Amino acid sequence: MQDITRADVEDFLFAEAELLDEWRLPEWLELFTEDAIYYVPSTDVPADSSPDKNLFYVADDRFRLSERVKRLMKRTAHAEFPHSRTRHLVSNVRIRSRSDSEMEVGAAFITYRTKDGITDTYFGSNRYRLVAENGRLRIREKRCLLDSEGLRTQGRVSIIL
C-alpha cells in the first residue's frame, strides 16, 4: 500500500462515482472485498458509531450489499425504476493513514438525485478502508457520513451514495 498515491486513490474514487452514476451496480459491487461493509449512519450519531447499538439508514455486509444491488437492478424496485438520474461528486480526497495491508481514506461528497421532477441533494464525507488485492484497490469499508440534519426533504436513501 506504500506505493499507492493520492492520485491513484482519486482515480479509483472517481471511477466508483462513474459506475454509480451509470447504474453499473454489478460492476460497482466488484470494487468491494468479500468481507466488506457499507454503512450510512443516521445523522444524529457519532461518526464511529456501530450499527449494533445505533440507528443506521444502511448497514450492509457484503451479502446484503449484493442483495441490494440485485434488487435495485430489477424493474420491481419501484423506488428506483425507472432509475433516478444521479451525479456523484467527489473532492477533498485525503489518505488519512496507511499500513502495509490497508489505508484509510477520507473524501467529501455531494450526490444529486433527480426523479419525477424533484432533485434531492445528499452531502457529507465518505470514510473508506481500502486494500490492494491482485494489484488493484478494493473497498473493505465505506461509511457515508451525511452532513444534513436529517432526511426531511427526501425522507429516504433509495440510491447508493
Side-chain angles (χ1 to χ4, degrees):
M1 298 296 292
Q2 299 301 326
D3 58 337
I4 296 173
T5 67
R6 183 173 49 81
D8 296 329
V9 172
E10 286 177 337
D11 285 345
F12 177 76
L13 298 182
F14 297 157
E16 179 199 16
E18 183 177 314
L19 290 173
L20 290 171
D21 289 338
E22 294 176 358
W23 281 87
R24 294 165 44 200
L25 300 185
E27 289 175 65
W28 172 79
L29 185 62
E30 293 304 312
L31 299 177
F32 287 78
T33 62
E34 290 304 314
D35 62 345
I37 51 179
Y38 170 70
Y39 290 153
V40 183
S42 63
T43 59
D44 60 347
V45 298
D48 60 350
S49 295
S50 167
D52 297 333
K53 297 182 180 181
N54 296 281
L55 175 66
F56 276 42
Y57 298 121
V58 178
D60 288 351
D61 60 13
R62 180 59 155 70
F63 174 76
R64 285 197 308 242
L65 189 56
S66 68
E67 293 300 307
R68 181 181 302 276
V69 165
K70 286 178 197 172
R71 187 177 70 254
L72 285 171
M73 295 307 292
K74 292 180 180 178
R75 296 179 67 92
T76 55
H78 300 293
E80 285 304 328
F81 198 87
H83 298 312
S84 295
R85 296 181 71 182
T86 63
R87 184 62 54 203
H88 291 73
L89 304 178
V90 180
S91 69
N92 302 9
V93 176
R94 294 188 55 220
I95 297 174
R96 296 185 166 282
S97 68
R98 70 170 84 209
S99 67
D100 290 338
S101 61
E102 186 176 275
M103 68 173 46
E104 291 184 21
V105 172
F109 76 88
I110 298 175
T111 300
Y112 297 102
R113 171 190 181 262
T114 298
K115 185 170 174 112
D116 300 328
I118 298 170
T119 300
D120 297 317
T121 303
Y122 302 86
F123 61 98
S125 61
N126 284 326
R127 293 189 182 171
Y128 292 89
R129 286 188 314 137
L130 303 178
V131 297
E133 288 184 354
N134 300 319
R136 66 181 202 140
L137 286 173
R138 307 262 322 262
I139 301 167
R140 179 165 284 150
E141 179 178 340
K142 181 177 181 180
R143 185 177 290 251
C144 303
L145 304 171
L146 294 165
D147 283 340
S148 57
E149 292 179 348
L151 296 178
R152 287 182 187 90
T153 305
Q154 55 276 49
R156 65 176 185 228
V157 180
S158 62
I159 59 169
I160 295 177
L161 297 172

